[in-house]
Amino acid sequence: MEDHENSGLLTPEQYSEQIYKEDPILEQVTASILESGIRDVSIAPGYGRLLTMLAKLSGSSRILEIGALGGYSGICLARGMKEDGKLVSLELKEENAALAARNLKNAGYGDRVEYRIGPALESLRQLESEGARFDMFLIDADKENYPSYLEYAITLADQGAIIAGDNTLLRGRTINPEKNGPSVQAVRKFNEMIATDARLLSTMLPAYDGLALAIVK
């Protein structure tokens, strides 16, 4: 494999991003995150486009997002869901949810998203008690709870629902045997679960920071 950084060549991800025109709405979201002093860990642009495609292809009308941050992935999901669809977004921090809500409103989706603030596991338990069902999920929050988030997603899923999990490589730590912190171990477990669970049909994309995709059988 060539060392793109040392050779001066573009990485595959850089090449891909150069082909696409800038997205003014998403550029504004990125700027708002930086202006707010929040660490920008939004989903990669290429995977954001993929989320839009998957939501569109699957005809998703009830999407659950675990981790809102500034609304980047929320907009990508909302762009693909049905016109009468609804996005439920779980976010730990009230200030993040407020920023995401502003950005979704500016993008024209303010009336199609519901934010639930607090620890995601508590919100997931509440959704389960309400009998909520979803046809698409994005898991992109605290990594130590990824295995639990995956189990809840399967529990709340309609048959054929899509589950996406971001940051499966953790900037290379997942595949580094010398890295064994709690987040790394949790993401490794998540990756193994999504790859081997008999209830799922899945794959893993190794570009950017890694994305796991599954369909609930």
Side-chain angles (χ1 to χ4, degrees), residues 3-15:
D3 188 333
H4 293 275
E5 185 174 342
N6 292 333
S7 68
L9 297 175
L10 296 175
T11 66
E13 292 87 351
Q14 289 170 334
Y15 170 74

Side-chain angles (χ1 to χ4, degrees), residues 5-217:
E5 185 174 342
N6 292 333
S7 68
L9 297 175
L10 296 175
T11 66
E13 292 87 351
Q14 289 170 334
Y15 170 74
S16 172
E17 294 308 329
Q18 282 197 354
I19 295 174
Y20 288 88
K21 295 180 180 179
E22 290 186 359
D23 187 313
I25 291 176
L26 294 178
E27 290 285 332
Q28 184 178 357
V29 173
T30 299
S32 73
I33 293 172
L34 296 176
E35 290 169 4
S36 298
I38 300 171
R39 181 174 172 234
D40 188 4
V41 289
S42 301
I43 196 163
Y47 285 156
R49 293 189 292 270
L50 178 59
L51 291 179
T52 300
M53 290 177 62
L54 291 172
K56 186 74 171 179
L57 285 167
S58 63
S60 294
S61 60
R62 289 278 300 175
I63 301 177
L64 179 63
E65 174 186 47
I66 304 175
L69 195 65
Y72 191 108
S73 57
I75 290 173
C76 294
L77 292 165
R79 283 175 169 176
M81 71 182 177
K82 288 184 176 180
E83 289 187 8
D84 60 349
K86 182 176 182 180
L87 171 67
V88 177
S89 185
L90 311 184
E91 174 55 49
L92 176 64
K93 298 180 179 180
E94 188 168 354
E95 59 270 27
N96 289 3
L99 177 61
R102 289 195 297 273
N103 285 327
L104 267 288
K105 181 179 179 181
N106 291 338
Y109 302 107
D111 61 342
R112 298 171 62 188
V113 59
E114 171 193 345
Y115 291 94
R116 298 201 179 196
I117 301 167
L121 288 177
E122 293 182 10
S123 296
L124 288 164
R125 282 192 286 269
Q126 180 63 34
L127 287 168
E128 183 180 18
S129 70
E130 294 170 7
R133 308 293 294 180
F134 299 92
D135 50 29
M136 187 169 180
F137 301 80
L138 173 63
I139 300 171
D140 191 10
D142 57 297
K143 308 311 174 193
E144 291 184 35
N145 282 315
Y146 259 41
S148 296
Y149 295 155
L150 177 58
E151 193 60 47
Y152 265 109
I154 296 171
T155 299
L156 298 173
D158 287 330
Q159 185 177 9
I162 295 172
I163 300 173
D166 195 25
N167 305 120
T168 56
L169 297 179
L170 287 179
R171 299 181 183 273
R173 286 181 290 157
T174 306
I175 58 177
N176 185 343
E178 296 182 1
K179 301 294 184 180
N180 291 289
S183 293
V184 174
Q185 292 188 51
V187 171
R188 284 179 185 148
K189 181 179 180 181
F190 169 87
N191 292 343
E192 292 166 4
M193 288 171 62
I194 212 164
T196 61
D197 195 302
R199 297 168 292 178
L200 303 174
L201 177 65
S202 71
T203 191
M204 194 169 296
L205 306 182
Y208 299 98
D209 197 30
L211 186 76
L213 292 175
I215 296 174
V216 180
K217 295 179 181 178

